[in-house]
Amino acid sequence: MAAKSTIFKATLQISDMDRHYYQEHSLTIARHPSETDERMMVRLLAFSLNAHERLEFGRGLSTEDEADLWQKDLTGDIEHWIDVGMPDERLVRKACGRSQQVTVYCYGGRIAEMWHEQHSAQFNRQGNLRIVNLPLEQTQTLALLAQRTMNLHCLVQDGLVSFSDDNSAVDLEPVLLYPAQ
């Protein structure tokens, strides 16, 4: 019998000063049995940084043809495809063909940087792609906030992110890898 996903509930208060987005979201997050707390929390961070009324979680690791998060227009066309981790370059290229905008949030320290360098020639051909690297120490600390029921606050200001619960806070500094600033 296959292991089932673990369900997490999050109340997420977002104050994004950069986008002038202020909203509270009640989210149900299914964590695949092979997914770590770190990856799940990076998905939640990606949701926070791109929050929109039509942004939703995909089916996750078990489904290769779906984004970790995506925003569709009212006709079902994909406006924004968001992946977490270091997806295969072929999948990134396919996502760029299916969506108006693609964002990849990679993490893992030097491994993520090497992944980007290895595929930079292919990524340079994609005009609708953004790759953001999240520092390893910061995502590992973010993982410590994971609980089955979470009450979280996310403040975004001047490109910096503060993610907190009632007991602790994590400051993150996302680094844009592509396109280069």
Side-chain angles (χ1 to χ4, degrees):
M1 180 179 215
K4 294 184 179 183
S5 293
T6 303
I7 303 300
F8 288 75
K9 300 273 186 179
T11 300
L12 177 61
Q13 181 69 42
I14 301 170
S15 298
D16 189 334
M17 311 282 238
D18 294 349
R19 295 188 308 135
H20 304 288
Y21 183 90
Y22 311 95
Q23 196 68 257
E24 181 174 289
H25 295 269
S26 295
L27 303 169
T28 300
I29 306 154
R31 189 185 76 195
H32 190 273
S34 66
E35 185 175 34
T36 64
D37 283 345
E38 182 179 21
R39 186 178 191 287
M40 179 191 69
M41 293 303 288
V42 171
R43 282 195 299 138
L44 198 53
L45 175 64
F47 181 93
S48 301
L49 294 174
N50 298 279
H52 186 277
E53 64 184 18
R54 290 191 313 272
L55 183 65
E56 58 187 45
F57 290 99
R59 287 186 280 187
L61 293 173
S62 60
T63 310
E64 189 174 287
D65 281 352
E66 277 194 21
D68 289 315
L69 296 142
W70 51 16
Q71 178 182 321
K72 296 181 181 180
D73 66 15
L74 298 176
T75 66
D77 289 340
I78 303 168
E79 293 177 323
H80 195 175
W81 179 294
I82 302 168
D83 270 333
V84 169
M86 294 168 274
D88 185 273
E89 179 274 328
R90 170 183 57 83
L91 296 174
V92 173
R93 189 175 56 233
K94 187 175 179 180
C96 287
R98 293 179 60 191
S99 176
Q100 293 174 21
Q101 180 182 359
V102 175
T103 305
V104 177
Y105 289 93
C106 59
Y107 61 98
R110 182 67 187 132
I111 295 170
E113 293 168 7
M114 290 169 45
W115 167 81
H116 173 256
E117 290 168 10
Q118 178 183 1
H119 299 293
S120 63
Q122 292 90 351
F123 293 154
N124 287 336
R125 297 184 199 133
Q126 308 304 326
N128 60 341
L129 175 64
R130 254 181 15 131
I131 300 174
V132 178
N133 189 19
L134 302 166
L136 178 63
E137 303 79 25
Q138 296 171 8
T139 59
Q140 289 174 337
T141 306
L142 182 65
L144 299 175
L145 297 179
Q147 298 177 27
R148 294 287 297 271
T149 302
M150 298 177 275
N151 186 19
L152 301 168
H153 309 277
C154 179
L155 171 65
V156 181
Q157 185 173 11
D158 299 327
L160 302 176
V161 182
S162 179
F163 219 82
S164 63
D165 63 11
D166 294 333
N167 301 315
S168 57
V170 179
D171 292 326
L172 298 112
E173 190 169 350
V175 177
L176 184 64
L177 295 179
Y178 181 81
Q181 291 190 37

